[in-house]
Amino acid sequence: MKLKSLIRHETFLALMLVTALIVLAFQSDRFFTVSNLLNQGRLMTEVGLIAIAMTFVIATGGIDLSVGSILGLVAILTGVFWNNIGLPLPFAAIAAIFVGTMAGFGNGIIITRFGVPPLIATLATLALYRGLAEGISQARSVRGYPDWFYVLGQRDVLGVPTQLWILMAVAVIASVILAYTTWGRTVYAIGSNEVASRFSGLSVEKTKLALYTLSGFAASVAAVIFVSRVSTTRSDMGSGIELDAITAVVLGGTSIYGGRGTVLGTVIGLCLIQALKNGLSLAGVKGDGTIMLIGAVLILAILASNIFERSGTRN
Amino acid sequence: MTVNQASIGATPSRSGFLRRIAVEYGQELIVFSAIIALFIVVSIVNPRFISANNLTTIFAGNAYIAVAAIGMSMVIITGHIDVSVGALIGVLATISGSLAVAGYPIWFAWLAPVLVGMAINSFIGILVAYARIPSIVVTLGAMSILRGGLISVTGGDWITDLPSGFMIAQKRFFDIPAPLIFMVVLTVLAALWMRHTPFGRSLYAIGGNKEAALATGIPIARRTVMVFAIHGAFAGLATILFATQLQVIQSTVPPNLELTIITASVIGGVSILGGTGTVIGSTMAAILFATIGSALIFVNVSAYWLRAVIGLLILATVLADMWRRRAKS
């Protein structure tokens, strides 16, 4: 029964995506072209990486609001390590990613060791990590990166944007892990019933710690890609990206209460949001109108899925 | 997650008055002590910190956050959350300011945000209570709709030439700044209401244990809608203070306002799991944030470090709270 309703939501979402693509293709000649769609994939990558990690976190019944701040912190640190401290750029990026991953690990420790609810823990670190980014940067941006660095964010490999390869690889690996490994099942088990999972001998704390660390890592990698794409670092980078990611995850059918959700759903959710954003702006709708529509789509999608699910589970 | 506990308080106990206060208002006491400690330390470093002028700035300038946090606390105590309140306040401020500039009576420009706030949030409440969509999802969507709607209507233009009678946040009654009166009166009324009326108590019951609340005959769905409506009214009141602070209204959503308001509620002792907390705590937390912000300036810390310090303090408060709860159980 559960599987059935899952399939339902994703089918429904995929239909919505196809409808949106068809309608948008008729609105503008420039929408349904290979180069435009690939470019949208480029713009989708940072949110995408974060949203995939967030799918796991939300599937355990948790949430990570600090990802946008971790992104900002890692972006700033990449610039500072390279420009002010003088590390070679690859090492600077790796060091910054390491710090960002540790920031995620810190979230995990606060949540698992101290028992702070994830929403509060990451709300606090959202302020803390963004604050660190602002304090370290002192509102100065770092520019002028070497040319090879832009391969990551602005160039193509085999005709496809570099970062889109990364996103696709991560999506495939993550969906296999979540759907087919014991560890993935553990994630669902924790989200369905944490107490029962603990009594069943699952390592609840270790799994959660790993997930928040991974979430930090995903945000850190997204940060380096972001810097490479826009050629600069600023401390306000990625602010609000947590809400975009959560929207994609929830739209993708992951239950905010945990226990349910797939990476595929999240990816379809992401594509739908990006298609709407881009297609509508090409069709002449202003960005603000698009934001409104995404909000409405989010509510309607969950409403529709609730109605289907209830009619499906009644008997 | 830990099991919810509906600590509705007022447990008869033979221990002393102080002990009862310490048990029932533990988190509020921690926040209060933090404010006092901060005042003492910063005043030693820079005595001008406790000048009447600065105190006015601290309390009056941030009263709207405390007022909005009252409604937010009620929503969270009932077991829900609202991330759209920042966008809502932005929208309501624009409505209120536009009415005032367009020449409508001042009282109408003040009343409108309260009514519109109640209407919008009732709708959110209905989606939460009757359509059974989780509140974080509804309000996430509502945030996008309100934010997008605001910018597409105003185009980001500022509202200027506000009539002077409109600026209630700049007024003083008996030499006390109006926002301060608003904050104290609303907090006290809300605290009394939540503690001593059946409706107020039922919020704790709903947030603490839904099944039990249902079994005792509390109309959960209707109450949920009403809590959201009340929250909308407080957002409207907060808007009045926010919109009349400066001579202009920037028709944008104040960045991260919803997070500041949620954080004030949570730091003030409202459990994000629902069922516990008071609005006295949330108001004190709002004062604490304002005090920290001002204190940093007076001890010459770069403003860029402000958020990091606030984040650290939030974290410290949360950890202290967890430690206190464990020590109690």
Side-chain angles (χ1 to χ4, degrees):
Chain A
M1 206 81 249
K2 209 171 184 184
L3 192 72
K4 217 171 174 180
S5 68
L6 262 181
I7 293 169
R8 268 216 181 98
H9 184 90
E10 276 148 24
T11 324
F12 178 70
L13 206 64
L15 283 175
M16 259 169 89
L17 177 60
V18 172
T19 318
L21 288 178
I22 293 173
V23 171
L24 292 170
F26 278 106
Q27 299 296 315
S28 164
D29 298 338
R30 281 171 299 160
F31 177 69
F32 212 77
T33 58
V34 174
S35 69
N36 180 51
L37 292 182
L38 284 178
N39 193 39
Q40 294 316 309
R42 191 191 289 285
L43 297 176
M44 212 169 74
T45 302
E46 292 119 29
V47 187
L49 289 173
I50 290 171
I52 289 171
M54 187 78 82
T55 308
F56 285 74
V57 171
I58 295 182
T60 62
I63 199 149
D64 186 353
L65 297 176
S66 70
V67 283
S69 298
I70 293 180
L71 195 158
L73 180 61
V74 171
I76 286 297
L77 286 179
T78 305
V80 166
F81 284 159
W82 173 67
N83 193 40
N84 303 26
I85 296 183
L87 286 179
L89 190 51
F91 292 112
I94 289 170
I97 289 177
F98 177 75
V99 175
T101 310
M102 281 299 110
F105 181 75
N107 285 336
I109 289 288
I110 297 167
I111 291 161
T112 57
R113 289 290 149 82
F114 294 90
V116 179
L119 188 71
I120 307 180
T122 56
L123 205 57
T125 53
L126 176 146
L128 176 62
Y129 298 153
R130 179 70 65 194
L132 288 175
E134 284 173 357
I136 292 169
S137 81
Q138 297 287 314
R140 279 189 295 266
S141 61
V142 176
R143 293 157 185 278
Y145 294 93
D147 193 54
W148 63 263
F149 183 59
Y150 298 130
V151 169
L152 190 58
Q154 301 177 15
R155 308 278 156 73
D156 298 342
V157 172
L158 303 176
V160 172
T162 318
Q163 65 263 58
L164 195 53
W165 286 110
I166 300 176
L167 180 64
M168 289 191 290
V170 169
V172 170
I173 294 168
S175 53
V176 169
I177 289 177
L178 188 56
Y180 299 111
T181 65
T182 330
W183 197 69
R185 309 313 296 178
T186 310
V187 169
Y188 287 127
I190 295 172
S192 305
N193 192 332
E194 193 172 319
V195 179
S197 310
R198 199 168 283 134
F199 282 123
S200 317
L202 297 175
S203 46
V204 174
E205 312 302 329
K206 261 188 210 158
T207 309
K208 287 210 276 185
L209 188 57
L211 283 179
Y212 287 98
T213 311
L214 267 178
S215 180
F217 178 69
S220 308
V221 174
V224 174
I225 294 174
F226 200 152
V227 172
S228 169
R229 178 166 68 82
V230 300
S231 319
T232 179
T233 59
R234 290 210 336 240
S235 63
D236 65 347
M237 274 175 154
S239 91
I241 205 170
E242 63 278 354
L243 296 177
D244 288 346
I246 294 168
T247 304
V249 172
V250 172
L251 191 58
T254 302
S255 163
I256 201 84
Y257 299 123
R260 203 160 58 89
T262 60
V263 174
L264 178 65
T266 300
V267 172
I268 301 177
L270 272 170
C271 293
L272 183 60
I273 293 173
Q274 193 62 38
L276 284 176
K277 271 189 188 167
N278 170 243
L280 289 176
S281 79
L282 285 179
V285 178
K286 279 198 189 137
D288 324 311
T290 316
I291 299 175
M292 287 177 77
L293 190 76
I294 289 170
V297 165
L298 173 67
I299 293 178
L300 290 177
I302 305 303
L303 190 64
S305 126
N306 267 10
I307 292 166
F308 282 129
E309 204 177 300
R310 228 171 282 166
S311 63
T313 49
R314 190 160 289 161
N315 299 312
Chain B
M1 271 186 210
T2 47
V3 181
N4 286 8
Q5 280 183 331
S7 75
I8 304 180
T11 36
S13 118
R14 252 177 254 169
S15 47
F17 174 73
L18 280 177
R19 193 189 147 82
R20 218 186 76 204
I21 295 275
V23 170
E24 276 184 39
Y25 293 99
Q27 181 71 8
E28 286 84 346
L29 280 181
I30 290 178
V31 176
F32 186 66
S33 318
I35 297 173
I36 300 295
L38 203 58
F39 265 100
I40 294 174
V41 171
V42 180
S43 305
I44 292 172
V45 178
N46 189 339
R48 274 180 301 145
F49 183 66
I50 45 170
S51 70
N53 244 338
N54 186 47
L55 291 185
T56 308
T57 318
I58 293 180
F59 292 122
N62 292 276
Y64 74 95
I65 290 172
V67 171
I70 294 173
M72 180 66 78
S73 299
M74 293 179 187
V75 168
I76 298 179
I77 285 167
T78 325
H80 296 286
I81 188 108
D82 177 9
V83 294
S84 68
V85 68
L88 179 67
I89 290 177
V91 168
L92 295 179
T94 302
I95 292 176
S96 179
S98 308
L99 289 174
V101 170
Y104 284 91
I106 297 296
W107 63 266
F108 186 68
W110 286 337
L111 186 64
V114 177
L115 294 181
V116 176
M118 287 179 83
I120 292 176
N121 273 16
S122 302
F123 187 64
I124 291 176
I126 289 170
L127 285 175
V128 171
Y130 292 101
R132 305 265 174 91
I133 311 177
S135 51
I136 186 154
V137 176
V138 179
T139 55
L140 215 54
M143 182 181 74
S144 297
I145 295 173
L146 291 172
R147 188 182 284 175
L150 177 62
I151 307 170
S152 51
V153 169
T154 63
D157 291 339
W158 293 17
I159 300 175
T160 51
D161 299 326
L162 294 161
S164 62
F166 176 65
M167 315 304 283
I168 193 169
Q170 300 173 10
K171 289 189 178 27
R172 282 168 173 266
F173 298 102
F174 309 111
D175 211 33
I176 304 168
L180 196 57
I181 300 175
F182 264 83
M183 178 175 83
V184 172
V185 170
L186 290 173
T187 305
V188 170
L189 286 181
L192 289 174
W193 179 76
M194 292 186 74
R195 200 176 160 88
H196 294 292
T197 66
F199 192 125
R201 309 284 290 182
S202 74
L203 306 188
Y204 290 99
I206 296 170
N209 189 335
K210 224 172 190 171
E211 281 74 30
L214 201 61
T216 47
I218 296 168
I220 292 183
R222 215 182 323 146
R223 288 279 154 91
T224 304
V225 177
M226 288 172 86
V227 166
F228 270 95
I230 295 170
H231 167 50
F234 277 103
L237 292 168
T239 301
I240 300 173
L241 298 181
F242 171 72
T244 59
Q245 234 172 10
L246 306 169
Q247 303 299 331
V248 292
I249 297 172
Q250 309 176 20
S251 313
T252 50
V253 178
N256 288 321
L257 182 55
E258 59 278 346
L259 290 179
T260 311
I261 294 168
I262 295 171
T263 312
S265 293
V266 169
I267 300 307
V270 174
S271 165
I272 210 77
L273 305 171
T276 62
T278 68
V279 295
I280 297 176
S282 66
T283 296
M284 284 215 260
I287 295 174
L288 176 64
F289 292 168
T291 314
I292 294 168
S294 175
L296 285 184
I297 298 167
F298 276 82
V299 296
N300 273 330
V301 175
S302 151
Y304 293 117
W305 286 104
L306 172 65
R307 263 225 271 196
V309 174
I310 288 189
L312 257 184
L313 268 150
I314 296 171
L315 203 56
T317 324
V318 169
L319 292 181
D321 180 40
M322 289 325 278
W323 175 76
R324 186 177 61 81
R325 273 174 215 212
R326 278 196 190 169
K328 213 163 82 177
S329 60

